[in-house]
Amino acid sequence: MTENKPRAGIREWLGLVVIVLVTLLIAVDISVLGFALTPISESLKPSATQLLWIMDTYSFVLAGALITMGWVGDRFGRRKLLIIGALVFGVASAIAATAESAEMLIGARALLGLGAATLTPTSLALIRNMFQDSKQRKSAIAAWSATLATGAALGPVVGGLLLNHFWWGSVFMINIPVMVLVLILAPILLPERRDSSRGKLDVLGAVLSMAGIMPFIYGLKELAVDGWARDSAIWAAAGAVLLVAFVQRQRTSPHPLIDVSLFRYGGFTGAILTNLMVMFSFMGVSILTNQFLQMVLGMTPFRAALWSMAVMPAIGIAVGLVSALSRKIKPVHLVAGGMLTMAVGFGVLSRLTVESNVALLLTGVGLMAAGMTASKTLTAEIVVTSAPKEHAGSATATSETFTEFGSAFGFAVIGSIGSAIYRHDMNAVSPAGLGGEALGAVRNTIGGAHTIASQQPAAIAAELLSASRAAFTHGLQVAALSGAAAMVVVAAIVAMLLRKVPIETGERVDPYDIDAPATVPASGHVQSTV
C-alpha cells in the first residue's frame, strides 16, 4: 500500500517561485552575452583569446564545480548554499557590470560560474525536499525544467533589448535585484536540510573533478569550433584521463563526492544517459539552425533570436502534457516518446532546403525542444528520487555534469559532421580569381564565405553565397539525420534501462541492485530544520 505523503502548502509553492527565479537567471546568463560582445570589445579592447574566455569561462567553471558543490550542499545545508551562491552571483554580477579590463571581466565570469554551480544542484534538491507528494513534485519539477529550457532562449533576446537602451554592463546588472530578492525570501520560504554523516570533503576528489571536467569540455569545444587541432585534442585527452582517475577515487574514497553505485540502478543510469544524449543531439544541431537563420535566410542576430522564441509554446505544451500523463503512464514510455519526438523533429530539419520557409525550421526545432523538455522533466525526478533524500544534491550535480558533457559532445561531434559536409561540398567551388587564404576561408566556414563574398564583384559574390548556402544546408541535413538516428538508438537503450521505474517514482527500486525491487533505506543522520 502506498504511503500517503504530506502535501505542499502555500509556503512551498512560494518557495518554488524563488527557485524558479534562480534557475531562470542561471539559464539566461549562459546566452545573454551574445549581443554584448561588440560593445564589450569596443570598451575593454580584449584580444581574440580573451574574448573567447569572456564567453566560455562561465560554462567551464559551472561544469567543473557542480559535483563538489552538490556534495557541499548535501553536507552543510542546501538552503545555506543557495543563499551563499545567490550572494556570490550578485556580487560577481556587479563586478562584471563595472569591469574596467578584460581580465577583470573574465574573473567575474568565473565567479558567476562558481555561483551558478552552487545554485543548480541545490535548487532541484530543495524541490525534492519540499514536495513529498509525487504529483505535486512532478508539477514542481516540470516548472523547473521549463524554466531551464526557456531561459537559454530568452538570453539573447533579453541581451538585445537591454543593449538597445543601456550600456553593455546592463546584461549583468539585471541579476542583482533578483538575487537581492532571493536573499530576502530564501530564509523565509525554503527549508534547510543537511546530512551530517557525509564526513569530510574529499579534497583530492574535488580537485580531480574540476581538473578533469574543465579541460575535457574545453578541448571538445575547441575541436568543434576550429576542427582537428593537436592542442585541443591534448586538452580533451588530459581531461579524460583525470576523469578516469576521479571515478577510481570515488570508488575507493571513504567519503566520496558521488555514490558511483547509483549507476547500478537502471533508472538512474537511464536518466543520466537520456540527459547526456538529448543535449548531445539538441545542442549539436541548434548551433547549425541558428546559423541557418542568419547565414542562409539572411536574418540579423536579434531577429533570429526573436524567431527562436516561437518554439516556446511547444515547450509549454510539452510540460503540460508530461505533467498530466506522468500520473498515469510509466516514465519509460514518456521518456522514449520524448526522444522519438525529437527524432521526428530532426527528420523535419533534414528536409530543409535553401528556399525553405522559416516555418519548416521552427516546426523541427519546436518538436526537438518539446521532446527534450518532456524527457528532461521526467529524468529530473528519476534522478532526485533514485538517491536517498540526503544525497539528492550530489545526484543532481552528477546529472547536470553529464548534461554539460552532452552539450560539449554535441558541439564537437554533430557540429563537426555539418562542417565536414560543408567543406567537402565547397572543395568543388573555385571562383575565378580567388585563391590562397581567401579560398581557404570560403571553403572552411559559411561565415568565412560571407566575409569574402562581401569583398568580391557582384557575380563572384552571388556564386559564393549560393554555393556556401547550399553546402551549409546539406551539412545541416546530414547532421539532423545523425541526430535522428542517435535518438532512435538511445530511445531503445533507455527503454530497457527505465523499464522497472514505476509511475510513482517515490516508490523506487533499490539503486544498489539493478534487478531486485526494494526500498532505499533512509539515513538516520539527516538534520532538517525549517
Side-chain angles (χ1 to χ4, degrees):
M1 183 176 180
T2 303
E3 179 186 354
N4 290 326
K5 300 289 185 179
R7 291 179 60 81
I10 185 66
R11 179 182 174 186
E12 284 76 18
W13 289 108
L14 289 174
L16 178 64
V17 173
V18 175
I19 291 173
V20 165
L21 281 174
V22 169
T23 304
L24 180 64
L25 281 187
I26 293 170
V28 166
D29 248 58
I30 293 173
S31 55
V32 75
L33 267 189
F35 294 112
L37 290 180
T38 298
I40 286 173
S41 297
E42 293 172 353
S43 175
L44 303 183
K45 302 202 169 27
S47 66
T49 300
Q50 287 176 325
L51 197 60
L52 288 174
W53 279 109
I54 289 171
M55 280 292 293
D56 292 337
T57 298
Y58 176 83
S59 57
F60 290 159
V61 175
L62 168 61
L66 272 171
I67 289 177
T68 300
M69 292 303 148
W71 185 93
V72 171
D74 287 344
R75 173 63 180 83
F76 296 103
R78 292 163 191 162
R79 183 179 67 186
K80 182 185 297 182
L81 186 62
L82 184 138
I83 292 171
I84 293 172
L87 180 61
V88 170
F89 204 88
V91 170
S93 297
I95 295 172
T98 56
E100 298 179 351
S101 67
E103 293 83 0
M104 187 175 177
L105 183 54
I106 291 169
R109 289 283 285 170
L111 198 58
L112 279 167
L114 183 63
T118 68
L119 299 170
T120 302
T122 54
S123 61
L124 189 55
L126 280 167
I127 290 176
R128 173 74 172 96
N129 298 146
M130 294 159 59
F131 297 91
Q132 302 298 313
D133 178 78
S134 179
K135 293 179 181 179
Q136 289 186 319
R137 186 171 59 245
K138 291 177 192 294
S139 298
I141 290 177
W144 177 86
S145 183
T147 302
L148 277 179
T150 56
L154 279 171
V157 177
V158 171
L161 290 174
L162 286 170
L163 292 170
N164 281 340
H165 302 283
F166 306 104
W167 93 115
W168 61 263
S170 61
V171 300
F172 298 108
M173 290 298 288
I174 59 168
N175 298 333
I176 296 174
V178 177
M179 287 305 172
V180 169
L181 188 63
V182 170
L183 290 173
I184 295 170
L185 295 179
I188 301 170
L189 297 174
L190 300 180
E192 183 60 287
R193 192 178 183 91
R194 59 184 177 271
D195 178 14
S196 58
S197 70
R198 295 299 294 269
K200 295 181 179 180
L201 174 67
D202 179 10
V203 177
L204 177 58
V207 171
L208 287 172
S209 167
M210 182 168 282
I213 291 170
M214 290 180 66
F216 183 65
I217 291 181
Y218 170 76
L220 289 178
K221 285 192 173 182
E222 288 296 297
L223 289 170
V225 173
D226 300 327
W228 172 259
R230 186 183 64 178
D231 289 349
S232 300
I234 289 174
W235 278 110
V241 170
L242 290 171
L243 285 173
V244 171
F246 169 73
V247 172
Q248 183 57 33
R249 171 66 181 177
Q250 297 312 288
R251 293 170 62 90
T252 58
S253 172
H255 304 293
L257 297 175
I258 61 173
D259 185 356
V260 293
S261 63
L262 279 173
F263 286 93
R264 292 175 52 195
Y265 171 39
F268 185 80
T269 303
I272 296 292
L273 178 61
T274 298
N275 289 345
L276 174 74
M277 290 307 299
V278 297
M279 292 304 292
F280 167 86
S281 298
F282 185 85
M283 296 304 294
V285 170
S286 15
I287 190 173
L288 301 177
T289 57
N290 289 337
Q291 287 182 284
F292 184 88
L293 286 171
Q294 297 176 53
M295 299 295 185
V296 178
L297 298 186
M299 295 184 184
T300 63
F302 186 61
R303 187 182 173 203
L306 288 175
W307 272 110
S308 298
M309 297 288 291
V311 305
M312 291 183 67
I315 293 174
I317 292 170
V319 169
L321 279 176
V322 79
S323 296
L325 295 177
S326 63
R327 300 168 185 174
K328 299 178 181 179
I329 300 175
K330 291 183 67 174
V332 60
H333 303 304
L334 295 176
V335 172
M339 299 180 84
L340 293 177
T341 300
M342 289 188 70
V344 173
F346 286 121
V348 171
L349 293 181
S350 74
R351 308 303 299 168
L352 284 171
T353 66
V354 175
E355 294 80 20
S356 291
N357 187 282
V358 68
L360 184 64
L361 181 139
L362 293 177
T363 299
V365 174
L367 288 168
M368 288 165 47
M372 178 189 71
T373 304
S375 298
K376 283 182 64 62
T377 298
L378 292 158
T379 56
E381 185 179 18
I382 294 172
V383 166
V384 295
T385 56
S386 295
K389 292 178 185 178
E390 59 270 24
H391 295 178
S394 297
T396 301
T398 303
S399 175
E400 290 303 306
T401 300
F402 274 88
T403 296
E404 294 293 329
F405 285 162
S407 297
F409 270 122
F411 284 133
V413 177
I414 294 186
S416 296
I417 290 172
S419 297
I421 298 296
Y422 175 87
R423 287 192 290 267
H424 176 270
D425 289 1
M426 290 299 289
N427 279 337
V429 177
S430 297
L434 200 65
E437 291 184 3
L439 184 58
V442 165
R443 290 174 173 175
N444 192 41
T445 66
I446 188 172
H450 277 238
T451 299
I452 299 300
S454 67
Q455 304 165 1
Q456 305 302 314
I460 294 178
E463 180 185 353
L464 285 176
L465 292 176
S466 176
S468 65
R469 287 167 178 164
F472 183 84
T473 304
H474 185 203
L476 174 56
Q477 292 168 346
V478 175
L481 287 174
S482 302
M487 285 297 94
V488 171
V489 172
V490 177
I493 297 172
V494 167
M496 293 292 293
L497 292 170
L498 299 182
R499 68 190 188 279
K500 290 188 176 182
V501 178
I503 293 175
E504 297 295 327
T505 51
E507 302 167 10
R508 58 197 180 278
V509 298
D510 187 353
Y512 304 103
D513 185 347
I514 199 169
D515 295 318
T519 302
V520 178
S523 169
H525 300 281
V526 179
Q527 297 179 5
S528 179
T529 60
V530 178

